[in-house]
Amino acid sequence: MSPAGIVLLPSILGALGLGDPGPLEDVVIDRYYIPKICLREAQMGDFIRYHYNGTFKDGKKFDSSYDRGATVAGVVGVGRLITGMDRGLLGMCVNERRHLIVPPHLGYGSIGVAGLIPPDATLYFDVVLLDIWNKKDKLQVTTLSKPQHCNRTVENSDFVRYHYNGTLLDGTPFDSSYSKDSTYDTYVGTGWLIKGMDQGLLGMCAGEKRSIIIPPFLAYGEKGYGTVIPPQASLVFSVLLVDFHNPKDGVSLEHLEVPESCRRRAVTGDFVRYHYNGTLMDGTPFDSSYSRNHTYNTYIGKGFIIPGMDQGLQGVCVGERRRVVVPPHLAYGENGAGDKIPGSAVLIFDVHIIDFHNPTDPVEIETVYRPEGCNITTRDRDFVRYHYNCSLLDGTKLFSSHDYEKPQEVTLGANKVIEGLNSGLLNMCVGERRVLIVPPHLGHGESGARGVPGSAVLRFEVELITMEEGVPEGYFFIWHGEPPGSLYEEMDLNKDGELGSKEFSTFIKTQVAEGKGRLMPSSDPEKVIADMFRNQDRNQDGKITPEELKLKSDEDQEKIHEEL
């Protein structure tokens, strides 16, 4: 039987002062355990919870809250307990233990309690105080740690994810999210939490730690909760806010580094190559392109990536570093992804834009220097010599003609270089310098090449050193005027009726020297002439007969007749 329960009986209340006061004039208090930290002492009018054992002088037990498996709760110092208990509990700290000796006149007097406590009994109580609160109490919030940067704090209607340890005021644990290996996820200020937590989470930053002490009337009150939270229990939560967002949130952008020069910004339909580090809001990494040593390559604005990144990459510049904060409804939602992205997680991407292009992009040509009086420019089939430096848009050097003994040589339009470089070398003057930006569909495409990443935009610095006028496709040699009417007889220099390779070579070189025709330009004219001879020596017997010798124009005309 609880002293609080007994004292409420009117017959007992009326008889408290009738017995012999005994040898003790007041309660004897032995504070045999006092905690090192005592934030508050029980005062008159406070509501307290405590356990006790009650015995007589001979040690016989007459009552115990432990035996009932429930603490005692009530207001102290206002006459609701026997006077000895009212006095003996004042000034106690939570977790303090006291031994009280209550004389009869401060207990149940000369009447006692029938069948339980004899008249004029001195009572002995061992008490441990478990909880103190007052109706005037407010929420106690203590910030234990806070991140240096906090762009936004929790507001009503936000969705929060947090870890917590929950204890009673005496330190008894009742629940922990850590034991479930999962955060507690809920809305704030919408009635899904006890009032004290709804209030205690407001104003928190992601990554902040708080201690929140909640009085019972802002927690589970008179009913408690199940078997773990007694009635009228104050609750202590140690909270770590992992992340939060609002369902109305959009993507948040932080421009960490923007290049001074930004000629174009990415738009929907562009193909972007970028590196990224992906973390949760508390800094836990979940993915990184750097760990794979490969950029992430994708179209933006077309649904190939999560909506938040589709939005977050709009307007980027080549070389820009940007932080993209994506709320879960624009990322992986309530279900999360894999074992690294929890449900309802806010994602943070730190991105570095390597390059981007559009599949419709042409070659960008910037003329750095063009000589004055430039009337002759390069065309397809011209043979050119040029120097070049090739790099990625982030400045990574790939190739350079300066690493070799002589300039690069190529016949334009002969499919010997990538299409974008070929285009960029057209209409150039000797001595002209250009910068060419070549998109991958005019470069090495999705697969890349040796030393060139797939889908890479290339930057060329080119300088035209020399050029030689070319010949039409399919020709090795063209006449500047009409060819001789008796071509074979003129080529047969020794007039033996046979045309050997030396005669053929001597004749062609003479025509070139006299300006009557020109060879397909090449670094090796001898090879071009040798190829011409092999083409005319149709039976490959080492000499050309009059029947075998045919002009290219005649051959083309014969093909037309055959097709007809």
Side-chain angles (χ1 to χ4, degrees), residues 302-314:
K302 289 192 168 186
F304 291 109
I305 48 180
I306 58 174
M309 285 299 281
D310 255 346
Q311 296 176 26
L313 292 172
Q314 295 285 335

Side-chain angles (χ1 to χ4, degrees), residues 266 270-274 296-300 313 316 353-357:
D270 283 344
F271 190 87
V272 184
R273 296 196 314 123
Y274 61 96
Y296 192 83
N297 309 331
T298 186
Y299 289 95
I300 63 169
L313 292 172
V316 293
I353 307 302
I354 303 302
D355 64 30
F356 64 86
H357 73 281

Side-chain angles (χ1 to χ4, degrees), residues 162-163 197 201 204 208-210 212 237-241:
Y162 62 92
H163 271 302
M197 282 298 280
L201 294 170
M204 286 192 80
E208 182 176 344
K209 291 182 180 180
R210 280 185 178 181
I212 304 173
F237 288 92
S238 177
V239 176
L240 168 62
L241 185 62

Side-chain angles (χ1 to χ4, degrees), residues 313-332:
L313 292 172
Q314 295 285 335
V316 293
C317 299
V318 171
E320 180 175 348
R321 294 179 186 272
R322 177 181 286 193
R323 177 166 294 163
V324 184
V325 182
V326 183
H329 52 276
L330 295 176
Y332 295 99

Side-chain angles (χ1 to χ4, degrees), residues 268-553:
T268 292
D270 283 344
F271 190 87
V272 184
R273 296 196 314 123
Y274 61 96
H275 271 302
Y276 71 90
N277 285 317
T279 64
L280 304 180
M281 214 175 202
D282 64 353
T284 302
F286 62 82
D287 194 15
S288 173
S289 63
Y290 295 99
S291 67
R292 296 186 290 275
N293 197 29
H294 193 283
T295 55
Y296 192 83
N297 309 331
T298 186
Y299 289 95
I300 63 169
K302 289 192 168 186
F304 291 109
I305 48 180
I306 58 174
M309 285 299 281
D310 255 346
Q311 296 176 26
L313 292 172
Q314 295 285 335
V316 293
C317 299
V318 171
E320 180 175 348
R321 294 179 186 272
R322 177 181 286 193
R323 177 166 294 163
V324 184
V325 182
V326 183
H329 52 276
L330 295 176
Y332 295 99
E334 296 181 3
N335 296 325
D339 58 355
K340 291 189 176 181
I341 300 179
S344 300
V346 177
L347 306 182
I348 299 176
F349 294 90
D350 284 329
V351 300
H352 179 208
I353 307 302
I354 303 302
D355 64 30
F356 64 86
H357 73 281
N358 194 281
T360 62
D361 283 346
V363 175
E364 292 183 34
I365 300 175
E366 178 188 353
T367 300
V368 178
Y369 170 75
R370 188 178 178 93
E372 293 183 4
C374 173
N375 298 318
I376 301 175
T377 59
T378 54
R379 298 177 296 174
D380 268 338
R381 311 306 301 171
D382 285 351
F383 183 77
V384 298
R385 292 179 178 86
Y386 61 97
H387 271 304
Y388 73 93
N389 292 312
C390 177
S391 63
L392 302 179
L393 290 194
D394 65 354
T396 302
K397 179 182 175 181
L398 298 181
F399 313 107
S400 175
S401 62
H402 297 282
D403 294 335
Y404 303 93
E405 294 181 358
K406 58 183 181 178
Q408 184 78 6
E409 299 176 341
V410 72
T411 298
L412 297 177
N415 297 319
K416 298 298 183 181
V417 294
I418 57 174
E419 184 178 348
L421 180 56
N422 192 93
S423 298
L425 290 169
L426 294 175
N427 301 313
M428 285 189 79
C429 302
V430 172
E432 183 174 344
R433 296 194 299 272
R434 288 179 175 180
V435 173
L436 313 176
I437 305 299
V438 180
H441 54 276
L442 299 176
H444 294 284
E446 294 181 8
S447 301
R450 185 175 181 181
V452 180
S455 299
V457 179
L458 302 179
R459 182 181 189 274
F460 287 90
E461 297 172 351
V462 295
E463 179 182 5
L464 187 62
I465 306 301
T466 64
M467 62 172 288
E468 298 176 36
E469 189 177 1
V471 298
E473 186 175 0
Y475 287 78
F476 287 103
F477 174 88
I478 63 171
W479 299 95
H480 289 158
E482 290 296 323
S486 54
L487 179 60
Y488 190 86
E489 287 77 5
E490 291 198 27
M491 296 182 76
D492 184 9
L493 300 178
N494 61 8
K495 308 303 179 182
D496 62 354
E498 294 182 349
L499 187 59
S501 60
K502 288 186 177 180
E503 286 179 298
F504 184 87
S505 175
T506 300
F507 177 81
I508 294 298
K509 288 178 180 178
T510 301
Q511 304 308 302
V512 172
E514 294 177 354
K516 296 178 180 179
R518 69 176 184 272
L519 281 169
M520 179 183 76
S522 168
S523 58
D524 188 358
E526 296 289 349
K527 182 178 183 303
V528 174
I529 295 173
D531 288 342
M532 289 176 64
F533 183 84
R534 277 194 297 273
N535 281 356
Q536 296 296 323
D537 183 13
R538 302 179 191 279
N539 61 6
Q540 304 297 306
D541 63 353
K543 58 182 181 294
I544 299 173
T545 65
E547 292 76 19
E548 289 177 316
L549 182 66
K550 294 180 182 180
L551 296 175
K552 180 76 166 56
S553 57

